[in-house]
Amino acid sequence: MVHIYWRDDNTYTPPHTLYESDSYMGTKVVSLHCDPLGRRIYGPDSDDDVAISGHVEIGHVFDVYSDLGKWLGNYTFTHDTVVVVGGYSTIGDPVSPVEPTSVPSVQNIHETLVDEYRTVRNVVRWFTETGFSKIQLPQALWSSIDSYYFNNRNRTVVEQWEGGSMFNWWEARSHLVEIPFSLRELWTSEVQALVSDWINNDFPLEGTSLYGIRLYENNSRLLMHGDTMATHALSVIINVDQQDLLEPWPLQIVDHSGMVHEVDLQPGELLFYESAKCLHGRMKPLRGRLHAGLFIHYRPIGDPMWYTRDYLSPRKMSADNSNGDESVARSDMVCLEATCETDETYLKCADDVFSLWKSFGESA
């Protein structure tokens, strides 16, 4: 348990508990997002946010204690930032030994892949012809992301995956570079405009989540999966960095016809994809020091059940009901060649996903 207190007029009378959490991302490690404009402090999960309601001011000092009362440090609230309590992680450190009984079996993986295939088939709505497309990020947006990452790339914390089979946490680790509120809001808003252009501005969108910047280590791999249906209708992956790759680490993605594609992103490139509808993963193990990505997700505004609605967009309905031009204004986005498939592979049933996994090798 980690306890965060703020000093009332620089005293401890009384101490105010701002955030309590079980050990997160490693022993005695917790990240805090401090937002002066909103006068808030947030824990590592947005569902666990704590609103201070007027108590937080610039200059307040926060003290951090372990559950045993050990003082872990103090931090002065000066600006919109992220504070990591307990120390940063290091890329390339050995993975902690794992009990063999806790490693998912082949049967576990088969069940997971079959469940994922069946789940994405519950999504009856899609927005584009194929389900994905790749572009070069606008230079100003890429400069903002790249410069923040460059200045904070060594301020990472280990991400928790234990217990599942989606990521091979028993063989590799992933890390997070946390992002402050001001940049989260800026990047979400600017990318939303690009996503809206991609779908011809058919529906007003809202951002639902931003993950990352996530750094994958050597040997990392991800099973094919669909994202959370209520919140991940339209998503993007931005390649932020890749280091010492011996070979590309492509994303496998299934289009709306069932065909499997491989998409390779370079730093500064963005992939649009319908992430709840299109199965996707990285089934080949990463061969290199690291691969860093930023993930942002959107849905039709105010509609967590969007995936149940097989409807026409307002723009298309308007065009259908008129005798005029049905063309849609687009931005000046330049789409890049998105796929590098070598064989035409189609997924026609749930077991095909498991066969695809086996074709890449059953272990990393």
Side-chain angles (χ1 to χ4, degrees):
M1 188 79 74
V2 177
H3 302 268
I4 312 299
Y5 300 99
W6 65 274
R7 301 181 187 179
D8 190 359
D9 296 326
N10 290 320
T11 71
Y12 296 98
T13 311
H16 298 265
T17 300
L18 288 185
Y19 187 79
E20 297 185 4
S21 173
D22 291 332
S23 294
Y24 178 81
M25 294 185 290
T27 304
K28 299 174 185 172
V29 175
V30 62
S31 59
L32 299 173
H33 296 255
C34 303
D35 175 17
L37 296 179
R39 304 165 74 87
R40 300 170 293 181
I41 187 166
Y42 280 70
D45 189 321
S46 60
D47 292 335
D48 296 329
D49 64 283
V50 180
I52 309 307
S53 185
H55 290 301
V56 173
E57 301 289 348
I58 297 297
H60 266 152
V61 179
F62 297 88
D63 287 273
V64 184
Y65 292 84
S66 73
D67 198 37
L68 299 177
K70 180 182 178 181
W71 183 74
L72 301 177
N74 61 35
Y75 301 88
T76 302
F77 190 2
T78 60
H79 61 288
D80 178 18
T81 188
V82 177
V83 174
V84 173
V85 179
Y88 298 112
S89 58
T90 303
I91 305 294
D93 278 354
V95 178
S96 300
V98 175
E99 289 292 334
T101 54
S102 64
V103 176
S105 65
V106 172
Q107 181 62 30
N108 294 146
I109 291 174
H110 178 265
E111 292 171 355
T112 298
L113 292 172
V114 168
D115 286 345
E116 291 296 324
Y117 178 86
R118 291 172 176 167
T119 297
V120 298
R121 291 175 67 82
N122 291 324
V123 180
V124 299
R125 172 73 178 120
W126 57 82
F127 300 85
T128 64
E129 183 176 354
T130 60
F132 65 95
S133 182
K134 185 171 76 169
I135 67 166
Q136 185 76 40
L137 270 178
Q139 186 58 48
L141 177 56
W142 171 234
S143 295
S144 174
I145 296 170
D146 187 38
S147 60
Y148 178 80
Y149 171 76
F150 179 83
N151 290 323
N152 294 275
R153 65 193 185 282
N154 295 320
R155 303 175 72 236
T156 60
V157 289
V158 175
E159 192 173 14
Q160 292 285 71
W161 291 89
E162 284 82 350
S165 58
M166 197 60 63
F167 174 72
N168 60 329
W169 53 267
W170 58 93
E171 296 174 309
R173 299 188 306 173
S174 64
H175 307 252
L176 292 173
V177 174
E178 298 279 8
I179 302 165
F181 281 108
S182 57
L183 287 179
R184 295 172 73 92
E185 292 171 353
L186 173 66
W187 297 348
T188 299
S189 175
E190 294 202 7
V191 170
Q192 180 172 317
L194 300 176
V195 175
S196 293
D197 278 348
W198 179 49
I199 62 167
N200 293 326
N201 296 290
D202 284 342
F203 293 90
L205 302 175
E206 61 182 356
T208 55
S209 59
L210 181 152
Y211 296 110
I213 300 168
R214 177 181 287 150
L215 286 71
Y216 293 101
E217 290 186 346
N218 185 48
N219 283 330
S220 296
R221 58 191 302 190
L222 291 157
L223 294 184
M224 299 293 281
H225 63 283
D227 287 350
T228 306
M229 290 188 292
T231 54
H232 293 38
L234 296 155
S235 303
V236 303
I237 300 172
I238 297 171
N239 184 326
V240 179
D241 188 21
Q242 55 191 37
Q243 296 182 13
D244 301 331
L245 297 192
L246 300 179
E247 60 187 25
W249 195 45
L251 178 84
Q252 290 80 41
I253 187 167
V254 182
D255 69 18
H256 294 324
S257 73
M259 184 176 179
V260 180
H261 302 256
E262 288 196 329
V263 181
D264 184 38
L265 294 175
Q266 297 300 310
E269 293 181 349
L270 174 153
L271 180 74
F272 301 110
Y273 64 124
E274 300 182 40
S275 63
K277 176 66 177 175
C278 298
L279 281 172
H280 56 280
R282 295 184 189 265
M283 308 273 263
K284 297 178 180 178
L286 172 62
R287 300 305 186 200
R289 181 172 183 268
L290 67 83
H291 195 285
L294 178 65
F295 308 82
I296 312 178
H297 305 280
Y298 304 87
R299 72 180 179 198
I301 191 166
D303 190 5
M305 298 298 292
W306 65 270
Y307 57 92
T308 66
R309 311 185 199 288
D310 186 14
Y311 49 70
L312 290 174
S313 72
R315 180 180 294 275
K316 289 178 179 176
M317 286 190 294
S318 176
D320 289 344
N321 292 331
S322 70
N323 295 319
D325 183 17
E326 297 184 14
S327 64
V328 179
R330 295 295 301 271
S331 74
D332 293 329
M333 291 192 304
V334 177
C335 292
L336 306 174
E337 181 66 32
T339 64
C340 53
E341 64 263 70
T342 56
D343 297 303
E344 290 194 359
T345 301
Y346 287 85
L347 303 183
K348 299 178 181 178
C349 65
D351 281 336
D352 286 349
V353 189
F354 181 66
S355 297
L356 179 66
W357 173 75
K358 292 182 68 176
S359 73
F360 287 113
E362 295 186 10
S363 66

